[in-house]
């Protein structure tokens, strides 16, 4: 208890008696890995906010966890961050200091807002899935390098603004967001360099907002968006060069006057 811990892998899994992690709190230290799964604790605040993790961070299936407070010191996380299946987790603001994680996966929690991620400059995968309580997205003002972007099953009206991103290296998927009006949050993207574009089942979407996009390497699937005019989608597909491979661009979209 209270002894210095430096550059170790910390794995805390399925311990029903563990309600406090203060023994790990030593400002300035860095763990190689942090894995917190299946614990009864409601907070990680006893970490003190001074712990960085150079490798992977996993926070999964902790039924009482309501906040990621205590993870403010996590900057690098080159092994990626997974925040998954924490049924009461609403607040993930503590990971706002991320800089260059390999990926971020946030899925099946109760998250209501995304941090601004003001220091985040590059990320491989940015994956927000099945977060219907998520209504506030903020922005990523420093992000320039983006691999995959998935925004699926959220309550967002507007996505997280990524104004400096001009290329998505893999794929863009925006689906099953019933309140989302467009995809202009990545409106400066000109190229999806090696993957596909998928836009499906967004009930309130009235515009794509992808006016700068000129190339999609693989498939384009834009369908079942009942407020999105099909003629707008046709015009968008026609502007791509070369033409998209085997596009699905009309079924279920709105008609045109």
């Amino acid at each position: 208890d209270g002894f210095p811990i430096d550059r170790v892998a910390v794995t805390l899994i399925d311990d029903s008696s563990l309600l406090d992690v203060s023994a790990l709190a030593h400002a300035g230290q860095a763990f190689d890995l942090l894995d917190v799964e299946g614990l009864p604790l409601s907070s990680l605040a006893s970490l003190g906010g001074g712990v960085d993790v150079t490798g992977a961070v996993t926070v999964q299936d902790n039924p009482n966890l309501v906040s990621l407070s205590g993870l403010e010191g996590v900057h690098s996380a080159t092994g990626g961050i997974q925040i998954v299946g924490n049924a009461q987790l609403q607040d993930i603001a503590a990971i706002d200091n991320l800089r260059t994680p390999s990926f971020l996966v946030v899925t099946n929690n109760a998250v209501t807002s995304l941090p601004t991620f003001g220091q985040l400059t590059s990320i491989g995968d940015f994956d927000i899935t099945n977060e219907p309580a998520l209504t506030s997205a903020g922005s990523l003002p420093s992000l320039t390098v983006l691999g995959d972007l998935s925004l699926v099953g959220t309550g967002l009206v507007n996505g997280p603004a990524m104004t400096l991103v001009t290329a998505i290296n893999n794929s863009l998927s925006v689906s099953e967001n019933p309140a989302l009006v467009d995809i202009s949050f990545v409106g400066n993207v000109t190229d999806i360099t090696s993957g596909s574009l998928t836009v499906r089942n967004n009930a309130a979407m009235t515009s794509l907002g992808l006016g700068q996009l000129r190339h999609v390497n693989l498939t384009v699937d834009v369908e079942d968006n009942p407020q999105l005019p099909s003629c707008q989608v046709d015009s968008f597909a026609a502007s791509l060069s070369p033409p998209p491979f085997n596009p699905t661009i009309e079924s279920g979209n709105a008609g045109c006057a």
Side-chain angles (χ1 to χ4, degrees):
D1 291 340
F3 55 86
I5 302 173
D6 189 36
R7 305 307 297 260
V8 297
V10 176
T11 302
L12 306 171
I13 298 178
D14 294 334
D15 185 342
S16 61
S17 66
L18 187 59
L19 298 172
D20 182 275
V21 290
S22 57
L24 303 177
H26 302 282
Q29 72 186 28
F31 297 156
D32 287 327
L33 174 149
L34 178 63
D35 189 352
V36 179
E37 298 187 44
L39 302 185
L41 44 73
S42 61
S43 171
L44 300 173
S46 56
L47 283 173
V51 174
D52 192 8
V53 181
T54 59
V57 176
T58 301
V59 180
Q60 183 168 340
D61 295 333
N62 302 285
N64 301 320
L65 191 67
V66 297
S67 167
L68 295 184
S69 178
L71 297 184
E72 290 85 356
V74 177
H75 297 109
S76 47
T78 57
I81 295 186
Q82 297 186 81
I83 312 297
V84 178
N86 305 283
Q88 297 189 58
L89 179 61
Q90 298 182 14
D91 181 3
I92 63 171
I95 59 172
D96 193 30
N97 296 317
L98 290 175
R99 295 172 184 164
T100 55
S102 57
F103 64 83
L104 173 65
V105 173
V106 179
T107 184
N108 290 320
N109 305 287
V111 174
T112 59
S113 65
L114 295 179
T116 299
F117 294 118
Q119 301 180 62
L120 186 66
T121 58
S122 68
I123 191 167
D125 299 333
F126 192 90
D127 185 345
I128 311 296
T129 304
N130 197 24
E131 296 288 352
L134 179 62
T135 57
S136 175
S139 65
L140 289 84
S142 303
L143 185 68
T144 58
V145 177
L146 176 61
D148 279 290
L149 173 58
S150 295
L151 195 67
V152 178
T154 77
L156 291 170
V157 175
N158 299 290
M162 304 179 182
T163 57
L164 298 184
V165 175
T166 58
I168 294 175
N169 295 330
N170 294 311
S171 292
L172 170 60
S173 179
V174 180
S175 299
E176 299 175 19
N177 304 286
L180 193 70
V181 296
D182 60 32
I183 317 175
S184 61
F185 55 94
V186 286
N188 290 329
V189 169
T190 62
D191 194 358
I192 296 177
T193 57
S194 62
S196 300
L197 170 66
T198 303
V199 183
R200 303 186 66 180
N201 296 309
N202 301 287
M205 185 172 290
T206 57
S207 173
L208 282 175
L210 296 174
Q212 302 300 315
L213 185 59
R214 292 293 177 267
H215 174 254
V216 178
N217 188 59
L218 295 177
T219 61
V220 172
D221 181 358
V222 182
E223 59 179 324
D224 296 325
N225 305 287
Q227 303 299 318
L228 182 63
S230 58
C231 55
Q232 181 188 137
V233 182
D234 290 342
S235 177
F236 162 74
S239 72
L240 299 176
S241 180
F245 173 75
N246 193 28
T248 303
I249 59 174
E250 292 201 4
S251 175
N253 298 322
C256 295

